[in-house]
Amino acid sequence: MSIRNNHKLSLTQSFEEILEAVQPMITAILTQLHIYKDFDYYRHIASIAVWRAWLKADPAKGQFSAYLYSSIKGEILNELSKEKNYSERITVVDGETLNFILSDLEGWDNQKNPSLLEIKLSQLKQIEREILLLYYVEGYSDQEIANALGLSAVAIKKRRGRIIQRLKHQLSRVE
């Protein structure tokens, strides 16, 4: 990818000049990666990548613009990967979901520490969160959850019971 505005990049230029010159390149990379939301955030990630490349660049190792391109694209791809991994691990739990789960946690007073249960739920494995959300929020039966997850209904019922018991135990230890 070349710089479209006919600026020749060199390490003798200031960072600001280089950043201004690579703006079309950054836009092209963001478009190529189909980034249409959080555009400003990823543009900021790209700017940081330009800064790092400007600091580390060695003219003896090749063309600076190619190094910039690979640095920018690599940083954006790393950030996209982090975002994907985070969204797979973390499930945002709203108040309605907490109330459903709290109904099974007899004796737990949510007023003492309202965010504690949310923290404990976020520490569960992905499949455990799925089981709880499908059962309590979506209203699926154990058999429907079993079909969706490829397990038996008995296994789902036992897992859900163990998850609730573990949550009760963890919450009672904190009190």
Side-chain angles (χ1 to χ4, degrees), residues 1 22 25-35 42-43 45-50 53 65-81:
M1 163 105 356
V22 297
M25 179 191 293
I26 292 172
T27 302
I29 291 171
L30 293 174
T31 304
Q32 178 189 21
L33 296 175
H34 305 288
I35 296 175
Y42 287 102
R43 188 169 284 285
I45 296 295
S47 298
I48 293 170
V50 171
S65 61
Y67 179 61
L68 271 175
Y69 180 83
S70 62
S71 296
I72 294 167
K73 190 170 182 180
E75 283 294 322
I76 292 172
L77 288 172
N78 284 342
E79 190 63 27
L80 287 170
S81 177

Side-chain angles (χ1 to χ4, degrees), residues 132-170:
L132 292 179
L133 292 173
L134 289 172
Y135 186 82
Y136 291 104
V137 177
E138 302 296 328
Y140 288 6
S141 68
D142 290 332
Q143 186 60 53
E144 291 170 325
I145 297 170
N147 292 341
L149 299 178
L151 299 168
S152 71
V154 173
I156 294 297
K157 185 175 181 176
K158 284 182 180 180
R159 276 191 183 189
R160 186 171 37 82
R162 284 193 303 257
I163 295 166
I164 294 298
Q165 285 302 113
R166 188 169 2 118
L167 285 172
K168 282 181 186 178
H169 178 71
Q170 290 174 349

Side-chain angles (χ1 to χ4, degrees), residues 35-163:
I35 296 175
Y36 301 110
K37 67 176 188 173
D38 300 329
F39 198 74
D40 290 335
Y41 174 73
Y42 287 102
R43 188 169 284 285
H44 180 70
I45 296 295
S47 298
I48 293 170
V50 171
W51 172 256
R52 289 180 179 156
W54 182 71
L55 290 176
K56 291 181 182 179
D58 183 3
K61 291 187 177 179
Q63 193 175 17
F64 182 54
S65 61
Y67 179 61
L68 271 175
Y69 180 83
S70 62
S71 296
I72 294 167
K73 190 170 182 180
E75 283 294 322
I76 292 172
L77 288 172
N78 284 342
E79 190 63 27
L80 287 170
S81 177
K82 286 179 192 175
E83 288 291 322
K84 181 178 181 275
N85 289 337
Y86 178 80
S87 66
E88 287 175 354
R89 284 191 332 253
I90 302 299
T91 302
V92 177
V93 182
D94 60 4
E96 185 179 331
T97 305
L98 290 175
N99 289 335
F100 278 114
I101 295 172
L102 283 172
S103 66
D104 256 17
L105 294 172
E106 302 132 6
W108 168 250
D109 182 11
N110 194 30
Q111 301 306 316
K112 291 179 184 175
N113 191 346
S115 63
L116 183 60
L117 180 59
E118 187 172 358
I119 292 168
K120 293 299 180 186
L121 288 172
S122 70
Q123 294 171 348
L124 294 175
K125 295 177 186 172
Q126 177 68 27
I127 192 160
E128 293 172 335
R129 285 192 306 270
E130 277 185 63
I131 291 169
L132 292 179
L133 292 173
L134 289 172
Y135 186 82
Y136 291 104
V137 177
E138 302 296 328
Y140 288 6
S141 68
D142 290 332
Q143 186 60 53
E144 291 170 325
I145 297 170
N147 292 341
L149 299 178
L151 299 168
S152 71
V154 173
I156 294 297
K157 185 175 181 176
K158 284 182 180 180
R159 276 191 183 189
R160 186 171 37 82
R162 284 193 303 257
I163 295 166

Side-chain angles (χ1 to χ4, degrees), residues 7-36:
H7 286 287
K8 185 71 175 167
L9 294 178
S10 73
L11 292 173
T12 59
Q13 292 174 302
S14 71
F15 168 72
E16 291 79 15
E17 292 172 328
I18 291 175
L19 184 61
E20 182 64 33
V22 297
Q23 289 304 314
M25 179 191 293
I26 292 172
T27 302
I29 291 171
L30 293 174
T31 304
Q32 178 189 21
L33 296 175
H34 305 288
I35 296 175
Y36 301 110

